[in-house]
Amino acid sequence: MRNAFENEGLIYVPSVNQWYPPSLCLWSSPVPVEGRVVIGSDYPEALTDFFLTFLRISPATLRTLVEALKSLGESRSSVESIKEMIKAINRKDPERQDLESLATCNVLPIRRHVSHGSITLGNLQETFAIIDNTKLSAIFQDHVDLLDFSLEEVHELAPFLGGLGLQSKYLSQLYTTQTLCDENGTADERLTRKFTDRAYEILRIAVSHRTPKASRSLYDRLLASSILKTDRISTTHTLHHTNGDTTGPIHGNTGPVHIRNQENGWQIFVPTLRFNRELCYKIHLPEALAKAIEIPPISCREHISLVLNNSISFINDFLETVGIGQVPGIEVFPRRLVDDSDGEEEEEEEGVVATREGTSRVVANEFFGTSQVSRISVAMSEGGSTPPSNISSPQLFFEPEPDNIPNMPIQGIIGNVDAYTQLLSHVIRLARQTSLPQSTFPAAPGNGQYLLGYDHQAAFGVRVLDQMRHDSKIGAAGELFVYEILLKTLEPFFGVGNWRSTMRQLVTVHPNYRGMASWDEPETSDIVYTDTNSHLTRLLIRLGYLDVIWNESEPEYFIEVKTTTGNCADRFFMSYNQYNMMQAKALRPGHTSPQIYLICRVYNLGKDSMNLKIYVDPEAHRQRGALLFAANWTVRAAPEQRIRS
C-alpha cells in the first residue's frame, strides 16, 4: 500500500489543492523547503501516527534543511530566504559533520565593500570577516567584505558558524594593531616612580603566567622603564586573514598607549589628559604590557590593571588571593612609595566625577587570612547583617584610594554588553550539549580551552570597581546554564516561571531572552520547580542522587546555583538564609519529603569544559564531610579521600 501512495501520488493537500507522493511531503518544517510540501496542519491529530509511522513522512530533519539551503544557493534565491534557512538550521545545533556538504556552496550572505554594501552569496573560501565587535566593524566596514549578520545575530548563530569552522574569520581573531609615537614626549617622574614601585608585582604576574623572559632581566627592564606623556600616539589597524590576505593597514589619528624598546628598559608613552590616561591604565596599558612581557593578554589583563591602579598595601593581598606567587631568587628593590594624593598637577580639562555607593568602615581582613586592617566597602543586604544570596563570591571589595577612583566610560567598569552577550551564546550552546551528570561523576579540573573571543574583563567588568555587578553577571550566566539544561530535560513542564532569581534580568541582553520580564517577587531560591509527573525525580534516581523510594514522588525542588570561572573545588559563598533553608529542608534517610533543596555548582565558566556538579540535600553532604563550611560563609568541596562514608 505504501508503494501505491508513492507511485500514484495519493496524498491530497487541501491547502494547495494538489496530490503528492509521500517522498515529497514533510509533516512539519520551521521554514518552507523548495520542492516539498508541509502537510501536518492539513490533517487531524488522530491521523498523525498513520502519516509518520505507516507512510514514513517525517518532520524536516537537519539533513533536509541543509540540502534545502544548498538548493537555495544553487538557484540564487533571495538573501532573506537564505537567512531564514540558516537560522532554522542553527536552531538544530549543527556540528561540523552536519555541514560538511556546504564547504564549497555559495550560501553565505556577504556584504561587499567595493560595491557600496550590496549583498551577494559567497562561500567559505572567500576573504571576508564576521562582526563580533562593533568598534572593529566601524573601522573596517569600508575596507573588507562582511558576513551580513549583525552582532546580535552572530551571537545567536554561534552553532551554525562554529559548525562551518568560521571562528577564525571573526574580526577580533583577525585584528592586530600597531602604535607609533613620533615625538619623545614629556617624562613624568611621579608616574615613573609609581610604575617602578610596582615592578616586582608585575614580574610576579609575568612569571605566574609563564613568560619566556628570564626573571632577573625582565625585573631589571621593568625597573629601568619610564613613563612619558604625549598627545602624538597614532595607531594602525590591520586584519590578517587565514588565507594570507590582509586588510589595511588603516591609520587612526589617536592611540591609547605606545611602548618603545630601549636598550635597558621600556619607554611607555601615555596620554597627557588625565581622563584618557586613566582609561589607558585600566585597559590599554595592561594589554600592551602583557604583549611586551609575552604573556596572554586576555587571562592576565585584569591582574596587571589592578596592580597599576591600586595602592601597594592592597596589591599583595590581591595577588595572593588569585594565586599569584612570589619569584624565587629575586631581591626586591626598595620601593619609594609615591603618595598618590600629592604632586599631581591640575590639568586643563573638564573633570568627570565618579561616586561609589556603599558603606566604608575599618575591619580586620579575615577573609584573606591576615591580620592586616584595610579600608573596604561592604555591600549589605537589606537586613544589614548577612551577605545577599545567589552570588558566587562575597559582597566584599577593597575601595580604591580616592585618587584612583576612575574617570572612565561605564562599560569599562561594568563590562561590555557585546562581550557578555557573546559569552551567554556560548553558555546556551554548551548547556544544550550537556546533560545532568551522574552522582559519581568526578568534577573536571580547571582545564579546557578558553572560549573563542572570551575576555573576562570585557564580559564582566573590573571586579574591584563594581564587585556587585561583576559577580552578579557571573552568577546570572551560571543560572542560565542550569536553566537551559533543565529546560531541555523537563520541557514542557518547566519554563521561565521556574527561574525566580532577580539576576535573570542580566541575561535579557541576549536575543533569546530579550522579552523575558524581570523577577520582582520575593526570592526563595534561584530556580523553584514542582516535579509534575515525577520527571526530574525519576531522573535523579537513575543518576544515583535519590533512592528508589522516591519513584512516584512529586516534590518541590529549591535549586541554588553557585558559579565560578575557576575549578569546581574553589570555594563558594552561602548566605545565612540559604544555610537555614538547607538545614530546614534536610532529608531524613529512608523517608521522602515534599521539598528538596539542592545546589548546582557551575564551574569553568568561560571555558569549553564548562559543567556542573549537583549536591542534592547539601546538609547531608555537610554532615559527612563532603562539603566543608567555614565561619566566613564560605563552602568548598572536600578532597575525595576525606569524605566520610
Side-chain angles (χ1 to χ4, degrees):
M1 184 184 293
R2 187 180 299 113
N3 290 336
F5 270 86
E6 180 66 30
N7 296 332
E8 299 180 31
L10 296 181
I11 297 178
Y12 177 66
V13 184
S15 58
V16 295
N17 193 28
Q18 289 190 41
W19 296 82
Y20 291 88
S23 60
L24 296 182
C25 297
L26 296 172
W27 185 250
S28 62
S29 176
V31 289
V33 175
E34 187 176 350
R36 300 289 193 96
V37 62
V38 178
I39 67 171
S41 59
D42 287 302
Y43 286 93
E45 187 176 349
L47 293 175
T48 300
D49 189 60
F50 171 76
F51 283 105
L52 269 63
T53 304
F54 182 76
L55 294 181
R56 299 176 185 172
I57 297 174
S58 66
T61 63
L62 175 56
R63 182 176 180 179
T64 301
L65 296 178
V66 170
E67 290 300 317
L69 179 60
K70 290 172 61 177
S71 297
L72 290 176
E74 291 168 358
S75 61
R76 297 193 174 275
S77 299
S78 70
V79 169
E80 285 307 311
S81 62
I82 290 279
K83 286 186 173 183
E84 288 304 312
M85 188 63 70
I86 287 174
K87 291 178 179 179
I89 293 171
N90 181 73
R91 287 191 288 270
K92 292 187 176 293
D93 291 326
E95 297 184 359
R96 187 174 291 261
Q97 62 269 22
D98 301 317
L99 306 180
E100 286 178 346
S101 61
L102 298 177
T104 59
C105 299
N106 292 322
V107 294
L108 298 177
I110 299 175
R111 186 175 295 274
R112 309 294 181 175
H113 73 284
V114 294
S115 54
H116 307 290
S118 65
I119 302 168
T120 61
L121 298 179
N123 58 59
L124 305 185
Q125 281 70 43
E126 296 187 27
T127 298
F128 64 91
I130 299 174
I131 299 171
D132 67 331
N133 182 297
T134 52
K135 289 186 177 180
L136 294 182
S137 68
I139 293 171
F140 290 102
Q141 62 184 355
D142 295 329
H143 304 275
V144 69
D145 293 349
L146 294 170
L147 189 67
D148 190 45
F149 287 109
S150 68
L151 175 70
E152 293 76 16
E153 289 175 317
V154 168
H155 294 326
E156 180 186 349
L157 293 173
F160 179 80
L161 299 176
L164 289 176
L166 289 175
Q167 299 96 325
S168 61
K169 290 184 179 288
Y170 283 21
L171 281 170
S172 61
Q173 300 298 307
L174 303 173
Y175 174 71
T176 61
T177 182
Q178 289 186 330
T179 58
L180 177 69
C181 184
D182 60 3
E183 68 168 19
N184 291 328
T186 303
D188 190 301
E189 182 180 354
R190 181 177 178 278
L191 292 177
T192 297
R193 291 176 62 187
K194 287 182 67 175
F195 181 84
T196 56
D197 279 345
R198 290 156 175 78
Y200 179 65
E201 284 69 30
I202 297 173
L203 176 68
R204 289 172 60 183
I205 295 171
V207 172
S208 293
H209 286 85
R210 304 179 66 83
T211 175
K213 296 182 177 293
S215 299
R216 180 73 256 177
S217 61
L218 176 56
Y219 187 40
D220 290 342
R221 174 167 285 273
L222 289 166
L223 288 171
S225 296
S226 57
I227 307 293
L228 303 96
K229 295 179 183 177
T230 181
D231 295 320
R232 301 289 297 274
I233 303 172
S234 61
T235 306
T236 58
H237 313 277
T238 307
L239 298 181
H240 297 274
H241 301 278
T242 54
N243 61 3
D245 292 346
T246 60
T247 301
I250 299 169
H251 298 280
N253 293 328
T254 60
V257 66
H258 175 68
I259 296 181
R260 180 185 293 169
N261 272 311
Q262 298 291 98
E263 183 177 354
N264 298 319
W266 287 305
Q267 286 184 325
I268 302 173
F269 295 87
V270 299
T272 299
L273 291 181
R274 183 174 178 179
F275 171 82
N276 294 334
R277 190 168 63 251
E278 287 180 341
L279 180 59
C280 164
Y281 266 64
K282 292 295 187 292
I283 298 175
H284 303 296
L285 178 54
E287 281 189 353
L289 280 174
K291 292 178 181 177
I293 294 168
E294 299 180 34
I295 55 178
I298 290 178
S299 59
C300 62
R301 183 178 69 183
E302 184 176 4
H303 294 169
I304 297 177
S305 176
L306 288 167
V307 165
L308 293 176
N309 294 288
N310 288 280
S311 62
I312 296 293
S313 60
F314 164 82
I315 293 170
N316 187 60
D317 279 337
F318 166 75
L319 293 180
E320 289 182 356
T321 302
V322 297
I324 303 295
Q326 304 293 328
V327 183
I330 295 294
E331 182 179 352
V332 181
F333 191 80
R335 294 187 177 92
R336 289 162 287 186
L337 292 177
V338 175
D339 184 351
D340 288 352
S341 62
D342 295 333
E344 179 143 23
E345 71 279 8
E346 293 296 325
E347 295 165 340
E348 293 183 4
E349 62 173 302
E350 185 175 345
V352 180
V353 179
T355 62
R356 178 177 297 282
E357 296 178 359
T359 304
S360 294
R361 57 193 177 102
V362 176
V363 299
N365 194 1
E366 295 174 355
F367 170 69
F368 292 103
T370 71
S371 59
Q372 174 185 341
V373 176
S374 303
R375 186 158 61 89
I376 63 173
S377 288
V378 183
M380 304 298 290
S381 62
E382 256 185 37
S385 58
T386 63
S389 63
N390 301 320
I391 57 173
S392 303
S393 50
Q395 293 306 294
L396 181 71
F397 55 82
F398 283 85
E399 185 175 25
E401 297 299 321
D403 191 57
N404 285 336
I405 294 177
N407 300 329
M408 63 186 293
I410 189 67
Q411 60 265 33
I413 299 174
I414 66 174
N416 182 286
V417 173
D418 295 346
Y420 189 58
T421 303
Q422 184 175 13
L423 173 74
L424 296 181
S425 291
H426 285 304
V427 168
I428 293 170
R429 175 178 59 82
L430 292 172
R432 292 175 180 176
Q433 299 170 1
T434 304
S435 300
L436 295 179
Q438 293 276 348
S439 62
T440 55
F441 183 75
N447 52 14
Q449 297 294 318
Y450 281 103
L451 296 168
L452 180 67
Y454 173 71
D455 184 330
H456 184 103
Q457 182 172 308
F460 305 116
V462 180
R463 189 170 189 264
V464 74
L465 299 179
D466 192 339
Q467 180 177 351
M468 173 71 81
R469 188 169 183 85
H470 173 281
D471 295 349
S472 294
K473 291 176 82 171
I474 290 176
E479 289 179 13
L480 175 63
F481 183 68
V482 175
Y483 173 78
E484 281 278 347
I485 293 173
L486 293 176
L487 182 66
K488 174 186 67 174
T489 305
L490 301 172
E491 205 171 27
F493 305 103
F494 181 89
V496 72
N498 300 105
W499 190 356
R500 301 181 184 179
S501 163
T502 56
M503 285 197 296
R504 79 182 198 182
Q505 66 180 341
L506 293 172
V507 309
T508 57
V509 299
H510 192 277
N512 290 14
Y513 288 88
R514 194 154 289 158
M516 182 173 65
S518 60
W519 179 261
D520 299 321
E521 299 181 35
E523 285 190 41
T524 51
S525 289
D526 298 325
I527 295 172
V528 179
Y529 170 68
T530 299
D531 194 19
T532 305
N533 296 328
S534 197
H535 288 282
L536 179 57
T537 303
R538 285 198 295 269
L539 176 58
L540 293 178
I541 292 171
R542 291 198 301 272
L543 295 175
Y545 294 99
L546 294 173
D547 294 331
V548 292
I549 60 170
W550 289 86
N551 195 36
E552 299 301 323
S553 300
E554 298 182 351
E556 185 177 23
Y557 286 86
F558 293 83
I559 301 171
E560 207 67 54
V561 182
K562 301 293 183 181
T563 307
T564 180
T565 57
N567 298 338
C568 184
D570 291 350
R571 62 184 173 181
F572 60 87
F573 298 83
M574 176 174 274
S575 73
Y576 176 79
N577 291 335
Q578 292 168 356
Y579 183 84
N580 285 344
M581 181 179 290
M582 176 189 77
Q583 294 199 314
K585 300 187 186 304
L587 303 180
R588 295 170 55 202
H591 296 77
T592 61
S593 172
Q595 296 178 331
I596 293 179
Y597 187 72
L598 67 84
I599 291 174
C600 287
R601 176 55 162 162
V602 177
Y603 57 94
N604 287 352
L605 173 62
K607 294 183 177 180
D608 55 13
S609 55
M610 183 181 186
N611 213 322
L612 79 161
K613 186 171 179 63
I614 299 174
Y615 296 96
V616 175
D617 188 18
E619 172 61 14
H621 289 268
R622 185 190 70 83
Q623 291 181 9
R624 65 188 182 91
L627 288 176
L628 306 177
F629 287 67
N632 58 356
W633 305 105
T634 64
V635 185
R636 62 183 177 86
E640 292 293 328
Q641 62 270 23
R642 293 185 54 184
I643 300 175
R644 300 187 297 271
S645 58

